[in-house]
């Protein structure tokens, strides 16, 4: 059976990670522009000031995408490039960039999939309280309305947010992401609720403005797979994946996906965090739970669990020497079978894998090529598991490889390489890696070459 004939093969990037031009053509500051200048915040003081210079080289990059053969390209729009102050005045040069990018993609036969927010929050709005400000959902709605009105003739596929677990949970929980501002659970939960309200407002604006548009959401989250395929272990993995106790906040999947797709916060989460939960106004949950066309999930790895024999679960340690990526994440291909299966059972919405990939120790070899056999092996192992899910009835409609090209990897700067295209950050030369050509064959064969 394999993948469906209309399966969406794509690749993904994000604005701050590749665009550069951080201070050009009227763009406003983002929290990442400011954070990167904090001593010790980012590996070796790296910044996204230039990144991959995609802002100036997008036509070259789209030509490579066409050579790769992807059917869809998931990129993000920089809010402060469109609205330098977060609201109000539109930056026409910034808008022109996205208009021209979308047009270039369409001419190459590639469908644009735009993520409306991938972490580069306007610094001007951060100074006004950011996501903690009760006006923040309205600010986001204004931005989305402008994008829809100006780009809706070219872009018909949208994701509202990328990984709120990270930009809230790691940006405001004393972790390693911008703005690295430790907050209480009470404030974190209020920010989360405002983000979810902003999501609902964005979906409504998109549907009101762009007829027949397709709208989704791209969270991530902690997930688990069964150590064996015994029924009790499968149930243990399902329970662990959708647990919303205090220990799962803020990274747990149901905290961010139950409100959007089921219209309610998880009951065990409400019980565990009841002292810190925000006030939920009449109509809030209905607004948050706007119908979606597809549900994106960023999936890189998972953890095995087994039944504890008492209706719950326990972690199973990975063996000593278990394979890991260059960024030290475990390689667990099973997650691309079990998590889509669990998500589709629970949310009954078509699944898009919006990010999946591997950081490798890539280098240009003496022959001028970049040989990355580990990434090729990773791709085949993970995609075989995704194919299994598809063949067993999980409605998986697409896969976006992270990433199209090497880029600025947030607090790790340029120390990690996730791309299928190697970027020399000194010369900006692009070199397709061996995985680029392998993925091209996977696309051509619709997965039959795996």
């Amino acid at each position: 059976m394999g993948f469906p004939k209309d399966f969406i093969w794509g690749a993904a990037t994000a604005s701050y990670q590749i665009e550069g031009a951080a201070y050009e053509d009227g763009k406003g500051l983002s929290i990442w522009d400011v954070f990167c200048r904090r001593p010790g915040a980012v590996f070796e003081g790296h910044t996204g000031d230039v990144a991959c210079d995609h802002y100036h080289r997008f036509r070259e990059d789209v030509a490579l995408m066409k050579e790769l053969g992807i059917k869809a390209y998931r990129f993000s729009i920089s809010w402060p490039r469109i609205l330098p102050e977060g609201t109000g005045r539109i930056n026409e040069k910034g808008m022109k960039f996205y208009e021209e990018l979308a047009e270039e993609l369409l001419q190459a036969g590639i469908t644009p999939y735009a993520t409306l927010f991938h972490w580069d929050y306007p610094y001007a709005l951060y100074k006004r309280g950011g996501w903690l400000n009760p006006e923040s959902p309205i600010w986001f709605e204004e931005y989305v309305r402008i994008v829809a009105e100006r780009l809706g003739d070219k872009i018909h596929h949208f994701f509202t947010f990328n990984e709120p677990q990270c930009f809230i949970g790691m940006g405001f929980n004393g972790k390693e992401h911008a703005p690295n501002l430790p907050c209480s659970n009470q404030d974190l939960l209020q920010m989360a609720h405002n983000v979810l309200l902003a999501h609902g407002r964005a979906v409504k604006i998109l549907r009101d403005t762009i007829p027949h548009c397709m709208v989704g959401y791209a969270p991530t989250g902690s997930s688990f797979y069964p150590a064996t395929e015994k029924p009790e272990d499968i149930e243990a993995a399902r329970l662990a994946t959708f647990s919303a106790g205090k220990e799962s906040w803020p990274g747990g999947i149901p905290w961010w996906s139950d409100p959007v797709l089921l219209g309610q916060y998880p009951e065990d989460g409400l019980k565990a965090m009841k002292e810190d939960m925000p006030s939920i106004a009449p109509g809030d949950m209905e607004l948050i739970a706007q119908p979606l066309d597809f549900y994106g999930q960023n999936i890189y790895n998972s953890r095995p669990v087994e039944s504890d024999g008492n209706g719950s679960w326990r972690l199973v340690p990975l063996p000593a020497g278990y394979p890991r990526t260059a960024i030290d994440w475990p390689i667990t291909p099973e997650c691309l079978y079990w998590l889509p299966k669990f998500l589709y059972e629970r949310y009954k919405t078509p699944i898009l894998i919006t990010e999946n990939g591997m950081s490798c120790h890539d280098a240009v070899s003496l022959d001028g090529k970049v040989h990355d056999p580990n990434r090729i092996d990773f791709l085949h192992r993970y995609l075989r598991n995704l194919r299994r899910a598809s063949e067993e009835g999980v409605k998986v409609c697409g896969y976006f490889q992270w990433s199209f090209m090497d880029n600025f990897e947030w607090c790790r700067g340029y120390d990690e390489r996730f791309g299928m295209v190697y970027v020399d950050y000194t010369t900006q030369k692009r070199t397709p890696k061996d995985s680029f050509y392998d993925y091209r064959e996977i696309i051509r064969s619709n997965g039959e070459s795996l």
Side-chain angles (χ1 to χ4, degrees):
M1 292 169 56
F3 293 103
K5 291 182 179 179
D6 59 352
F7 193 76
I8 302 161
W9 293 100
T13 66
S15 52
Y16 191 77
Q17 294 183 267
I18 68 167
E19 284 180 4
Y23 302 94
E24 292 184 39
D25 289 346
K27 176 188 166 290
L29 288 174
S30 78
I31 57 172
W32 275 94
D33 292 315
V34 176
F35 182 68
C36 286
R37 277 160 173 73
R38 184 184 302 177
V42 177
F43 176 78
E44 293 190 351
H46 295 171
T47 75
D49 290 2
V50 177
C52 306
D53 198 29
H54 178 72
Y55 185 80
H56 298 111
R57 299 170 183 263
F58 71 91
R59 297 186 196 280
E60 172 188 353
D61 293 335
V62 172
L64 279 171
M65 293 175 201
K66 184 176 181 180
E67 181 184 348
L68 178 59
I70 56 175
K71 299 177 182 179
Y73 172 50
R74 179 182 173 230
F75 61 98
S76 73
I77 296 172
S78 171
W79 185 349
R81 196 179 293 284
I82 298 293
L83 295 170
E85 299 299 319
T87 63
R89 178 180 59 85
I90 298 172
N91 177 28
E92 291 297 337
K93 289 184 178 180
M95 185 66 73
K96 182 182 178 184
F97 166 69
Y98 294 109
E99 289 171 343
E100 292 183 349
L101 172 60
E103 184 62 36
E104 194 76 10
L105 289 166
L106 293 171
Q107 289 180 4
I110 300 169
T111 302
Y113 279 68
T115 303
L116 293 162
F117 182 75
H118 196 136
W119 304 4
D120 44 354
Y121 194 79
Y123 186 63
L125 295 184
Y126 168 72
K127 292 191 293 183
R128 295 169 62 184
W131 292 116
L132 197 55
N133 190 311
E135 296 296 307
S136 57
I138 298 171
W139 299 337
F140 189 67
E141 180 182 44
E142 177 188 342
Y143 156 63
V144 174
R145 176 181 54 77
I146 290 166
V147 169
E149 289 174 351
R150 296 291 296 273
L151 300 175
D153 61 330
K154 297 179 177 67
I155 304 176
H156 302 142
H157 298 79
F158 293 89
F159 298 97
T160 54
F161 288 101
N162 181 81
E163 295 186 345
Q165 290 91 340
C166 293
F167 70 79
I168 296 297
M170 297 180 74
F172 296 92
N173 201 18
K175 298 293 179 67
E176 52 194 14
H177 284 188
N180 196 359
L181 180 68
C183 292
S184 66
N185 276 334
Q186 185 176 37
D187 283 351
L188 288 171
L189 285 159
Q190 182 63 67
M191 284 188 274
H193 191 64
N194 288 341
V195 167
L196 294 172
L197 289 171
H199 160 84
R201 285 176 173 269
V203 176
K204 289 192 70 174
I205 282 291
L206 289 168
R207 297 206 187 282
D208 290 346
T209 309
I210 309 171
H212 312 301
C213 69
M214 304 284 283
V215 186
Y217 174 54
T220 185
S222 303
S223 68
F224 303 86
Y225 65 91
T228 76
E229 295 203 10
K230 295 177 182 177
E232 58 269 30
D233 287 347
I234 294 172
E235 182 58 24
R238 186 182 289 108
L239 284 171
T241 295
F242 296 115
S243 169
K246 186 170 288 190
E247 74 285 347
S248 78
W249 169 256
I253 287 172
W255 276 108
W256 302 90
S257 294
D258 278 17
V260 168
L261 292 149
L262 302 180
Q264 60 190 28
Y265 283 105
E267 289 185 14
D268 53 339
L270 290 172
K271 182 178 179 181
M273 306 291 279
K274 63 181 180 180
E275 300 298 327
D276 294 315
M277 286 298 294
S279 174
I280 299 173
D284 277 5
M285 302 314 296
E286 290 79 6
L287 175 60
I288 290 167
Q290 297 297 305
L292 296 181
D293 300 292
F294 43 78
Y295 171 62
Q297 186 80 13
N298 297 351
I299 307 173
Y300 289 91
N301 54 72
S302 191
R303 301 177 70 183
V305 297
E306 64 184 5
S307 171
D308 69 352
N310 295 306
S312 190
W313 52 276
R314 59 176 167 244
L315 287 171
V316 175
L318 293 170
Y322 195 84
R324 307 182 82 84
T325 70
I327 204 171
D328 203 32
W329 295 349
I331 298 173
T332 57
E334 302 91 338
C335 65
L336 228 54
Y337 168 74
W338 288 105
L339 186 52
K341 180 180 175 69
F342 291 158
L343 293 171
Y344 191 62
E345 287 173 352
R346 186 176 183 90
Y347 299 126
K348 300 175 176 59
T349 302
I351 304 290
L352 275 173
I353 306 304
T354 36
E355 286 185 24
N356 171 252
M358 177 186 186
S359 174
C360 292
H361 294 296
D362 297 324
V364 179
S365 297
L366 287 172
D367 61 5
K369 299 178 180 179
V370 180
H371 305 294
D372 56 342
N374 286 5
R375 184 174 288 107
I376 292 172
D377 184 77
F378 177 102
L379 274 173
H380 284 241
R381 290 176 186 272
Y382 274 70
L383 285 170
R384 285 180 182 182
N385 275 276
L386 187 64
R387 184 174 63 188
R388 177 189 172 193
S390 177
E391 289 174 343
E392 293 182 10
V394 177
K395 193 168 183 180
V396 182
C397 51
Y399 172 88
F400 289 84
Q401 165 66 202
W402 185 272
S403 172
F404 170 69
M405 65 203 304
D406 293 336
N407 54 47
F408 176 85
E409 189 51 41
W410 306 113
C411 64
R412 295 177 181 264
Y414 301 101
D415 194 41
E416 304 292 342
R417 292 186 179 272
F418 276 87
M420 293 179 288
V421 175
Y422 184 94
V423 178
D424 182 321
Y425 298 110
T426 301
T427 65
Q428 291 297 336
K429 180 181 178 181
R430 275 78 160 131
T431 303
K433 305 176 187 180
D434 288 354
S435 61
F436 176 99
Y437 299 105
D438 185 77
Y439 190 50
R440 182 170 69 179
E441 183 54 35
I442 291 171
I443 295 169
R444 283 178 176 172
S445 70
N446 198 34
E448 292 300 316
S449 67
L450 292 168

